[in-house]
Short mmCIF file of all heavy atoms in Angstrom, two decimals:
data_model
loop_
_atom_site.label_atom_id
_atom_site.label_comp_id
_atom_site.label_asym_id
_atom_site.label_seq_id
_atom_site.Cartn_x
_atom_site.Cartn_y
_atom_site.Cartn_z
N GLU G 7 4.24 4.13 12.34
CA GLU G 7 5.45 4.57 13.05
C GLU G 7 6.26 5.60 12.25
O GLU G 7 6.89 6.46 12.80
CB GLU G 7 6.34 3.42 13.42
CG GLU G 7 5.81 2.57 14.55
CD GLU G 7 6.74 1.35 14.83
OE1 GLU G 7 7.69 1.13 14.09
OE2 GLU G 7 6.38 0.63 15.75
N LYS G 8 6.22 5.42 10.92
CA LYS G 8 6.99 6.33 10.08
C LYS G 8 6.14 7.60 9.70
O LYS G 8 6.64 8.45 8.97
CB LYS G 8 7.40 5.62 8.76
CG LYS G 8 8.33 4.48 9.01
CD LYS G 8 9.69 4.88 9.47
CE LYS G 8 10.61 3.68 9.65
NZ LYS G 8 12.00 4.06 9.82
N GLY G 9 4.93 7.66 10.17
CA GLY G 9 4.13 8.86 10.00
C GLY G 9 3.39 8.93 8.67
O GLY G 9 2.98 10.03 8.26
N TYR G 10 3.20 7.79 8.00
CA TYR G 10 2.49 7.77 6.74
C TYR G 10 1.08 7.24 6.89
O TYR G 10 0.82 6.40 7.66
CB TYR G 10 3.25 6.87 5.72
CG TYR G 10 4.54 7.39 5.30
CD1 TYR G 10 5.76 6.83 5.71
CD2 TYR G 10 4.62 8.48 4.38
CE1 TYR G 10 6.96 7.33 5.33
CE2 TYR G 10 5.84 8.99 3.98
CZ TYR G 10 7.00 8.43 4.42
OH TYR G 10 8.24 8.90 4.03
N SER G 11 0.16 7.90 6.14
CA SER G 11 -1.22 7.44 6.14
C SER G 11 -1.45 6.45 5.00
O SER G 11 -0.56 6.31 4.10
CB SER G 11 -2.15 8.66 5.92
OG SER G 11 -1.99 9.17 4.61
N VAL G 12 -2.60 5.84 4.96
CA VAL G 12 -2.93 4.94 3.88
C VAL G 12 -2.94 5.76 2.58
O VAL G 12 -2.42 5.32 1.52
CB VAL G 12 -4.32 4.26 4.11
CG1 VAL G 12 -4.82 3.59 2.84
CG2 VAL G 12 -4.19 3.27 5.23
N ALA G 13 -3.49 6.97 2.66
CA ALA G 13 -3.49 7.84 1.44
C ALA G 13 -2.09 8.17 0.98
O ALA G 13 -1.85 8.22 -0.24
CB ALA G 13 -4.26 9.14 1.76
N ASP G 14 -1.15 8.37 1.89
CA ASP G 14 0.22 8.59 1.56
C ASP G 14 0.82 7.42 0.74
O ASP G 14 1.46 7.59 -0.26
CB ASP G 14 1.12 8.86 2.72
CG ASP G 14 0.84 10.14 3.46
OD1 ASP G 14 0.36 11.11 2.78
OD2 ASP G 14 1.01 10.19 4.70
N LEU G 15 0.57 6.20 1.29
CA LEU G 15 1.05 5.02 0.61
C LEU G 15 0.40 4.81 -0.76
O LEU G 15 1.10 4.47 -1.73
CB LEU G 15 0.74 3.81 1.53
CG LEU G 15 1.57 2.55 1.35
CD1 LEU G 15 3.07 2.81 1.42
CD2 LEU G 15 1.20 1.52 2.37
N GLN G 16 -0.86 5.09 -0.80
CA GLN G 16 -1.59 4.99 -2.09
C GLN G 16 -0.98 5.94 -3.12
O GLN G 16 -0.69 5.54 -4.23
CB GLN G 16 -3.07 5.32 -1.80
CG GLN G 16 -3.90 5.52 -3.09
CD GLN G 16 -5.18 6.22 -2.85
OE1 GLN G 16 -5.65 6.36 -1.73
NE2 GLN G 16 -5.83 6.67 -3.90
N ALA G 17 -0.74 7.18 -2.72
CA ALA G 17 -0.18 8.18 -3.64
C ALA G 17 1.25 7.77 -4.05
O ALA G 17 1.61 7.90 -5.24
CB ALA G 17 -0.17 9.56 -2.98
N TYR G 18 2.07 7.34 -3.08
CA TYR G 18 3.45 6.97 -3.38
C TYR G 18 3.50 5.82 -4.42
O TYR G 18 4.33 5.81 -5.29
CB TYR G 18 4.14 6.55 -2.11
CG TYR G 18 5.57 6.09 -2.27
CD1 TYR G 18 6.60 6.97 -2.61
CD2 TYR G 18 5.87 4.75 -2.15
CE1 TYR G 18 7.91 6.57 -2.78
CE2 TYR G 18 7.18 4.30 -2.30
CZ TYR G 18 8.17 5.22 -2.63
OH TYR G 18 9.48 4.74 -2.80
N LEU G 19 2.56 4.87 -4.27
CA LEU G 19 2.58 3.72 -5.19
C LEU G 19 1.83 3.98 -6.52
O LEU G 19 1.76 3.14 -7.36
CB LEU G 19 1.92 2.52 -4.47
CG LEU G 19 2.73 2.02 -3.24
CD1 LEU G 19 1.92 0.96 -2.51
CD2 LEU G 19 4.12 1.49 -3.65
N GLY G 20 1.24 5.20 -6.60
CA GLY G 20 0.51 5.58 -7.83
C GLY G 20 -0.77 4.77 -8.02
O GLY G 20 -1.15 4.50 -9.18
N MET G 21 -1.41 4.45 -6.94
CA MET G 21 -2.67 3.71 -6.98
C MET G 21 -3.83 4.63 -7.00
O MET G 21 -3.83 5.63 -6.36
CB MET G 21 -2.75 2.75 -5.76
CG MET G 21 -1.57 1.82 -5.67
SD MET G 21 -1.44 0.94 -4.09
CE MET G 21 -2.78 -0.19 -4.30
N GLU G 22 -4.86 4.25 -7.83
CA GLU G 22 -6.03 5.13 -7.93
C GLU G 22 -6.91 5.02 -6.68
O GLU G 22 -7.48 6.05 -6.32
CB GLU G 22 -6.86 4.66 -9.17
CG GLU G 22 -7.94 5.63 -9.52
CD GLU G 22 -8.55 5.30 -10.89
OE1 GLU G 22 -8.07 4.48 -11.61
OE2 GLU G 22 -9.63 5.90 -11.18
N TYR G 23 -6.98 3.87 -6.09
CA TYR G 23 -7.82 3.68 -4.89
C TYR G 23 -7.06 3.08 -3.70
O TYR G 23 -6.08 2.33 -3.98
CB TYR G 23 -9.01 2.73 -5.24
CG TYR G 23 -9.84 3.25 -6.37
CD1 TYR G 23 -9.79 2.69 -7.65
CD2 TYR G 23 -10.74 4.30 -6.22
CE1 TYR G 23 -10.50 3.18 -8.71
CE2 TYR G 23 -11.49 4.79 -7.25
CZ TYR G 23 -11.39 4.20 -8.51
OH TYR G 23 -12.15 4.69 -9.55
N PRO G 24 -7.50 3.32 -2.49
CA PRO G 24 -6.73 2.82 -1.34
C PRO G 24 -7.10 1.42 -0.93
O PRO G 24 -6.47 0.84 -0.03
CB PRO G 24 -7.10 3.84 -0.22
CG PRO G 24 -8.51 4.20 -0.58
CD PRO G 24 -8.54 4.23 -2.11
N GLN G 25 -8.09 0.79 -1.53
CA GLN G 25 -8.60 -0.50 -1.12
C GLN G 25 -7.46 -1.57 -1.01
O GLN G 25 -7.45 -2.34 -0.08
CB GLN G 25 -9.70 -1.03 -2.00
CG GLN G 25 -11.03 -0.42 -1.74
CD GLN G 25 -11.21 0.96 -2.38
OE1 GLN G 25 -10.31 1.46 -3.08
NE2 GLN G 25 -12.35 1.57 -2.20
N ALA G 26 -6.55 -1.54 -1.97
CA ALA G 26 -5.51 -2.56 -1.93
C ALA G 26 -4.66 -2.45 -0.63
O ALA G 26 -4.34 -3.49 -0.01
CB ALA G 26 -4.59 -2.43 -3.14
N VAL G 27 -4.40 -1.22 -0.24
CA VAL G 27 -3.57 -1.03 1.02
C VAL G 27 -4.37 -1.56 2.21
O VAL G 27 -3.82 -2.26 3.06
CB VAL G 27 -3.22 0.44 1.20
CG1 VAL G 27 -2.51 0.64 2.55
CG2 VAL G 27 -2.41 0.98 0.07
N TYR G 28 -5.66 -1.26 2.26
CA TYR G 28 -6.51 -1.83 3.34
C TYR G 28 -6.56 -3.34 3.32
O TYR G 28 -6.53 -3.99 4.36
CB TYR G 28 -7.94 -1.19 3.23
CG TYR G 28 -8.00 0.22 3.66
CD1 TYR G 28 -8.35 1.23 2.74
CD2 TYR G 28 -7.70 0.63 4.93
CE1 TYR G 28 -8.43 2.54 3.08
CE2 TYR G 28 -7.74 1.98 5.27
CZ TYR G 28 -8.09 2.91 4.38
OH TYR G 28 -8.17 4.27 4.70
N HIS G 29 -6.59 -3.94 2.12
CA HIS G 29 -6.62 -5.40 1.97
C HIS G 29 -5.28 -5.97 2.48
O HIS G 29 -5.26 -7.00 3.21
CB HIS G 29 -6.83 -5.84 0.56
CG HIS G 29 -8.25 -5.71 0.15
ND1 HIS G 29 -9.27 -6.61 0.48
CD2 HIS G 29 -8.90 -4.78 -0.61
CE1 HIS G 29 -10.41 -6.22 -0.02
NE2 HIS G 29 -10.21 -5.09 -0.70
N TRP G 30 -4.15 -5.31 2.15
CA TRP G 30 -2.85 -5.79 2.65
C TRP G 30 -2.85 -5.74 4.18
O TRP G 30 -2.39 -6.68 4.84
CB TRP G 30 -1.73 -4.91 2.13
CG TRP G 30 -1.59 -4.83 0.66
CD1 TRP G 30 -2.06 -5.75 -0.28
CD2 TRP G 30 -0.97 -3.81 -0.14
NE1 TRP G 30 -1.74 -5.34 -1.56
CE2 TRP G 30 -1.08 -4.16 -1.49
CE3 TRP G 30 -0.34 -2.61 0.23
CZ2 TRP G 30 -0.58 -3.33 -2.49
CZ3 TRP G 30 0.14 -1.86 -0.79
CH2 TRP G 30 0.04 -2.19 -2.15
N GLN G 31 -3.29 -4.61 4.76
CA GLN G 31 -3.21 -4.45 6.18
C GLN G 31 -4.14 -5.41 6.90
O GLN G 31 -3.88 -5.78 8.06
CB GLN G 31 -3.58 -3.01 6.55
CG GLN G 31 -2.50 -2.00 6.12
CD GLN G 31 -2.79 -0.59 6.53
OE1 GLN G 31 -1.88 0.20 6.62
NE2 GLN G 31 -4.01 -0.24 6.82
N ALA G 32 -5.24 -5.81 6.26
CA ALA G 32 -6.16 -6.75 6.84
C ALA G 32 -5.70 -8.22 6.69
O ALA G 32 -6.30 -9.14 7.22
CB ALA G 32 -7.56 -6.58 6.29
N GLY G 33 -4.63 -8.40 5.90
CA GLY G 33 -4.10 -9.76 5.71
C GLY G 33 -4.89 -10.54 4.68
O GLY G 33 -4.83 -11.76 4.62
N ARG G 34 -5.69 -9.88 3.84
CA ARG G 34 -6.48 -10.53 2.80
C ARG G 34 -5.60 -10.97 1.62
O ARG G 34 -5.86 -11.96 0.95
CB ARG G 34 -7.64 -9.67 2.32
CG ARG G 34 -8.69 -9.46 3.38
CD ARG G 34 -9.93 -8.75 2.82
NE ARG G 34 -10.70 -8.23 3.91
CZ ARG G 34 -10.80 -6.96 4.24
NH1 ARG G 34 -10.13 -6.02 3.54
NH2 ARG G 34 -11.48 -6.54 5.23
N ASN G 35 -4.56 -10.14 1.32
CA ASN G 35 -3.64 -10.47 0.27
C ASN G 35 -2.35 -9.71 0.55
O ASN G 35 -2.26 -8.93 1.55
CB ASN G 35 -4.16 -10.26 -1.11
CG ASN G 35 -4.71 -8.91 -1.33
OD1 ASN G 35 -4.21 -7.90 -0.79
ND2 ASN G 35 -5.81 -8.79 -2.13
N LEU G 36 -1.35 -9.89 -0.29
CA LEU G 36 -0.04 -9.31 -0.11
C LEU G 36 0.23 -8.35 -1.30
O LEU G 36 -0.23 -8.54 -2.38
CB LEU G 36 1.06 -10.34 -0.09
CG LEU G 36 1.01 -11.33 1.10
CD1 LEU G 36 1.96 -12.48 0.89
CD2 LEU G 36 1.36 -10.57 2.39
N PRO G 37 1.08 -7.32 -1.02
CA PRO G 37 1.50 -6.45 -2.14
C PRO G 37 2.31 -7.24 -3.16
O PRO G 37 2.95 -8.26 -2.79
CB PRO G 37 2.36 -5.40 -1.45
CG PRO G 37 2.25 -5.60 -0.02
CD PRO G 37 1.70 -6.94 0.25
N SER G 38 2.33 -6.80 -4.37
CA SER G 38 3.22 -7.35 -5.43
C SER G 38 4.64 -7.18 -4.95
O SER G 38 4.95 -6.35 -4.08
CB SER G 38 2.97 -6.67 -6.76
OG SER G 38 3.48 -5.33 -6.69
N VAL G 39 5.56 -7.92 -5.55
CA VAL G 39 6.96 -7.76 -5.23
C VAL G 39 7.41 -6.32 -5.48
O VAL G 39 8.15 -5.73 -4.65
CB VAL G 39 7.81 -8.77 -6.01
CG1 VAL G 39 9.31 -8.51 -5.82
CG2 VAL G 39 7.49 -10.18 -5.67
N ASP G 40 6.97 -5.72 -6.60
CA ASP G 40 7.32 -4.32 -6.91
C ASP G 40 6.85 -3.37 -5.80
O ASP G 40 7.59 -2.48 -5.35
CB ASP G 40 6.76 -3.91 -8.25
CG ASP G 40 7.51 -4.53 -9.43
OD1 ASP G 40 8.61 -5.04 -9.23
OD2 ASP G 40 6.94 -4.52 -10.52
N HIS G 41 5.60 -3.57 -5.37
CA HIS G 41 5.05 -2.69 -4.38
C HIS G 41 5.73 -2.92 -3.02
O HIS G 41 6.00 -2.01 -2.28
CB HIS G 41 3.57 -2.86 -4.22
CG HIS G 41 2.76 -2.13 -5.28
ND1 HIS G 41 1.49 -2.60 -5.69
CD2 HIS G 41 3.02 -1.06 -6.00
CE1 HIS G 41 1.08 -1.77 -6.61
NE2 HIS G 41 1.97 -0.85 -6.82
N LEU G 42 5.97 -4.19 -2.71
CA LEU G 42 6.64 -4.52 -1.47
C LEU G 42 8.04 -3.89 -1.39
O LEU G 42 8.42 -3.30 -0.38
CB LEU G 42 6.75 -6.05 -1.32
CG LEU G 42 7.21 -6.61 0.00
CD1 LEU G 42 6.29 -6.17 1.14
CD2 LEU G 42 7.25 -8.12 -0.07
N TYR G 43 8.76 -3.94 -2.48
CA TYR G 43 10.10 -3.34 -2.55
C TYR G 43 10.02 -1.83 -2.39
O TYR G 43 10.75 -1.21 -1.62
CB TYR G 43 10.78 -3.73 -3.88
CG TYR G 43 12.15 -3.20 -4.01
CD1 TYR G 43 13.20 -3.72 -3.24
CD2 TYR G 43 12.50 -2.21 -4.91
CE1 TYR G 43 14.48 -3.24 -3.32
CE2 TYR G 43 13.76 -1.72 -5.01
CZ TYR G 43 14.76 -2.24 -4.24
OH TYR G 43 16.06 -1.77 -4.33
N ALA G 44 9.07 -1.23 -3.07
CA ALA G 44 8.89 0.28 -2.99
C ALA G 44 8.50 0.68 -1.60
O ALA G 44 8.97 1.65 -1.05
CB ALA G 44 7.81 0.71 -4.00
N ILE G 45 7.60 -0.09 -0.98
CA ILE G 45 7.18 0.20 0.41
C ILE G 45 8.38 0.12 1.34
O ILE G 45 8.57 0.96 2.21
CB ILE G 45 6.03 -0.75 0.88
CG1 ILE G 45 4.77 -0.44 0.08
CG2 ILE G 45 5.79 -0.61 2.39
CD1 ILE G 45 3.72 -1.56 0.18
N SER G 46 9.24 -0.90 1.16
CA SER G 46 10.41 -1.05 2.02
C SER G 46 11.30 0.18 1.89
O SER G 46 11.87 0.63 2.90
CB SER G 46 11.16 -2.36 1.72
OG SER G 46 11.88 -2.26 0.54
#
């Protein structure tokens, strides 16, 4: 809804690979508190 891609989120969070974002979106695990706060 905000117009961001998985790659955008990956870059914003300084992550080397996008897999963590895909895992979060699939409900396999949750972002760390730091990442959750930054995403918000």
Side-chain angles (χ1 to χ4, degrees):
E7 285 177 359
K8 298 291 183 168
Y10 291 106
S11 68
V12 168
D14 292 331
L15 202 53
Q16 171 195 345
Y18 178 71
L19 296 172
M21 302 168 74
E22 191 171 348
Y23 302 105
Q25 280 82 359
V27 178
Y28 288 115
H29 285 281
W30 301 337
Q31 292 184 158
R34 291 189 198 106
N35 53 37
L36 295 169
S38 69
V39 174
D40 288 341
H41 281 153
L42 190 58
Y43 183 69
I45 292 166
S46 76

